[in-house]
Amino acid sequence: MNTLDLINKVKKFRKYLNHKKIEYIRLVRQAISYRLFLRAKSADTIEDFNPYKCETIVVNVIGKGIGDAIICSGLISILRKGNYKVYPIISKGANVFLFTHLIPNDGIIVTTGNGYGLPKQGRDKLQFDLFISAWEFNGRNYRLLDLMRKLKYRYSIGCPRGLEKQYRNHIEDVQHSGTHLSEYFKSIIDKFFPHLSKYQYAYAIEIPGKALDKVSQFVDKITCHGIHRLLVVSCITRDPNKCFSRDNISRLCHELATSKHQYKVVVLNYEKSPFTINNENIIPNPFASLSDVIALVTKAYCLVTIDTCFVHVGCQFNVNSLCFYNNKVIGDYYQGNVLYGPGPHYTNALMVMPEEQGHDEYGVDLRKINYQFIHDALLEKKLL
């Protein structure tokens, strides 16, 4: 064994030890959080919950993306129709803007520090009848337990998995193999608020009139008042495995721009993966505000996207869309294409995915797919 091999083995072993150390610390902190949580939250169980004696509800959306928040807006909307006061609790980021300007609610709680701290000012006033944590506790997020312990509430739905049976207080695991997230939210309404079951589950984004007017003027200008068709293309998201390669984005946009259908192609997030534009029908998105971008999506003849955020926007406004998913399937309990797919009511969407499945947390890497896969999807959607 030469010196270089020995050094590499030592580095690998140190990395292994460091990983085990972190894992051990996490398990210890998780155990402590469990015990403190059980001690603080053992008084009331969900079996005693009476929806007619409930007034205030906090909904956990911490650390979730815009798409998750949009799906959750349907739950908030139905609860508010029942005259409940609903307060999303969120971490810093785009969702602050979303819940402040686009999704009606009764006040947001923005966490501090690592995303699970409560604001010091007004903390004593944070008292609720019900806490809903829709996303499954994954065994690592002990910080959520700490936050739940500090919040003042009587009952909880979606309480972390792994607690003793009498304290679980959840209706079912969120990540069912065949259940869209909106159906899970609707099941919360049906089981715990049966008097609100009459309401159909629908997302509840409210786009400001100013944004709609500004975007309408832009669309009228580039399409010559409807002579051209507007396509909105989104091929970049924060998860690199769900993104197309730069070359494939370029080929996609240029193929659409040179189509016989006279499209005007507006490219979202162009600055994150710029390519050479040699066609006047390809236009980088000029809008910075999320409300403007959402308004733009609603004006599209067709939305072509890998970003589930815009899939859910398209669902609410029934936008004609072509959605690419990376076919992430883990065991028999998680199908990302179902859980975060277009949903059971989005009939105007065509969802396509690679034949192979990604059996880990990353799914299939869409950056590596052959362009023929994208081309065939465009043909299936009759965009060419």
Side-chain angles (χ1 to χ4, degrees):
M1 181 183 297
N2 58 41
T3 305
L4 183 60
D5 288 339
L6 180 61
I7 292 174
N8 288 334
K9 282 196 171 186
V10 170
K11 286 182 178 179
K12 188 175 181 179
F13 183 66
R14 289 180 64 183
K15 186 176 181 180
Y16 169 80
L17 289 179
N18 188 53
H19 174 76
K20 287 297 182 181
K21 175 184 175 182
I22 293 173
E23 188 73 7
Y24 177 76
I25 293 173
R26 179 189 64 78
L27 289 173
V28 171
R29 291 206 52 183
Q30 178 180 307
I32 294 172
S33 296
Y34 271 151
R35 189 54 53 191
L36 292 174
F37 176 84
L38 295 179
R39 184 182 300 173
K41 297 295 180 184
S42 61
D44 298 308
T45 59
I46 200 63
E47 287 77 12
D48 303 322
F49 177 72
N50 184 341
Y52 297 103
K53 294 183 179 179
C54 175
E55 295 181 0
T56 56
I57 302 171
V58 59
V59 177
N60 171 35
V61 200
I62 296 173
K64 297 302 173 181
I66 296 174
D68 301 315
I70 291 172
I71 299 177
C72 188
S73 70
L75 172 68
I76 294 171
S77 176
I78 293 178
L79 290 172
R80 295 184 80 234
K81 288 176 181 176
N83 295 319
Y84 296 101
K85 300 291 185 183
V86 186
Y87 303 85
I89 182 167
I90 59 180
S91 43
K92 294 178 181 178
N95 279 343
V96 174
F97 181 90
L98 193 69
F99 282 105
T100 302
H101 299 283
L102 300 175
I103 297 178
N105 57 81
D106 296 290
I108 62 174
I109 304 168
V110 182
T111 58
T112 61
N114 57 15
Y116 293 90
L118 291 175
K120 293 181 179 179
Q121 188 174 3
R123 179 183 297 184
D124 295 337
K125 298 180 181 179
L126 298 178
Q127 300 184 26
F128 307 95
D129 296 312
L130 177 66
F131 177 90
I132 299 177
S133 183
W135 285 269
E136 181 185 271
F137 181 79
N138 62 13
R140 294 178 179 272
N141 201 350
Y142 53 83
R143 294 188 179 94
L144 176 58
L145 277 175
D146 293 336
L147 180 140
M148 292 174 69
R149 177 169 52 85
K150 295 171 185 175
L151 272 175
K152 297 178 181 179
Y153 63 89
R154 290 192 62 191
Y155 303 100
S156 64
I157 296 173
C159 194
R161 182 200 288 190
L163 299 178
E164 283 83 345
K165 183 177 180 181
Q166 65 267 34
Y167 298 117
R168 289 177 71 176
N169 298 351
H170 69 298
I171 42 178
E172 56 184 325
D173 296 334
V174 178
Q175 296 177 341
H176 271 309
S177 176
T179 303
H180 190 261
L181 190 56
S182 64
E183 294 179 298
Y184 172 74
F185 285 135
K186 186 62 167 65
S187 71
I188 291 177
I189 296 294
D190 293 340
K191 181 164 186 176
F192 295 101
F193 302 89
H195 61 295
L196 300 180
S197 294
K198 59 184 179 181
Y199 295 110
Q200 182 178 351
Y201 198 94
Y203 308 153
I205 300 172
E206 293 185 357
I207 305 174
K210 186 176 180 180
L212 287 171
D213 291 342
K214 179 167 58 173
V215 169
S216 294
Q217 292 176 14
F218 167 76
V219 172
D220 286 343
K221 181 179 179 180
I222 66 170
T223 62
C224 298
H225 298 277
I227 294 177
H228 300 278
R229 292 173 171 176
L230 172 66
L231 297 185
V232 176
V233 175
S234 172
C235 297
I236 296 292
T237 185
R238 64 180 180 178
D239 184 347
N241 291 282
K242 295 180 180 179
C243 301
F244 289 159
S245 67
R246 181 178 301 181
D247 180 61
N248 279 348
I249 296 173
S250 176
R251 293 181 67 180
L252 166 66
C253 292
H254 281 91
E255 185 169 28
L256 291 172
T258 56
S259 154
K260 63 182 179 180
H261 298 297
Q262 294 186 303
Y263 295 128
K264 291 293 183 177
V265 183
V266 176
V267 186
L268 304 183
N269 294 320
Y270 171 79
E271 68 283 354
K272 294 183 180 179
S273 186
F275 56 89
T276 302
I277 296 177
N278 52 24
N279 190 300
E280 62 180 6
N281 291 328
I282 302 175
I283 306 165
N285 169 43
F287 301 107
S289 170
L290 179 60
S291 55
D292 294 343
V293 174
I294 289 176
L296 178 66
V297 169
T298 67
K299 299 293 183 181
Y301 166 76
C302 187
L303 166 70
V304 180
T305 183
I306 50 83
D307 194 333
T308 56
C309 161
F310 297 119
V311 173
H312 304 317
V313 172
C315 178
Q316 177 176 336
F317 298 97
N318 200 30
V319 178
N320 185 32
S321 67
L322 173 59
C323 316
F324 292 89
Y325 280 71
N326 72 337
N327 209 7
K328 181 165 70 172
V329 178
I330 303 176
D332 59 355
Y333 68 93
Y334 183 95
Q335 289 187 31
N337 314 313
V338 177
L339 185 65
Y340 297 106
H345 307 296
Y346 194 1
T347 56
N348 221 5
L350 171 64
M351 180 174 68
V352 294
M353 66 195 81
E355 290 186 4
E356 66 174 304
Q357 294 179 343
H359 296 290
D360 54 28
E361 60 181 305
Y362 304 107
V364 176
D365 191 344
L366 293 185
R367 293 169 297 185
K368 298 179 181 179
I369 62 172
N370 190 291
Y371 183 75
Q372 187 64 41
F373 169 76
I374 300 174
H375 176 78
D376 291 344
L378 296 177
L379 288 174
E380 185 178 357
K381 190 62 178 174
K382 299 180 179 179
L383 291 176
L384 298 177

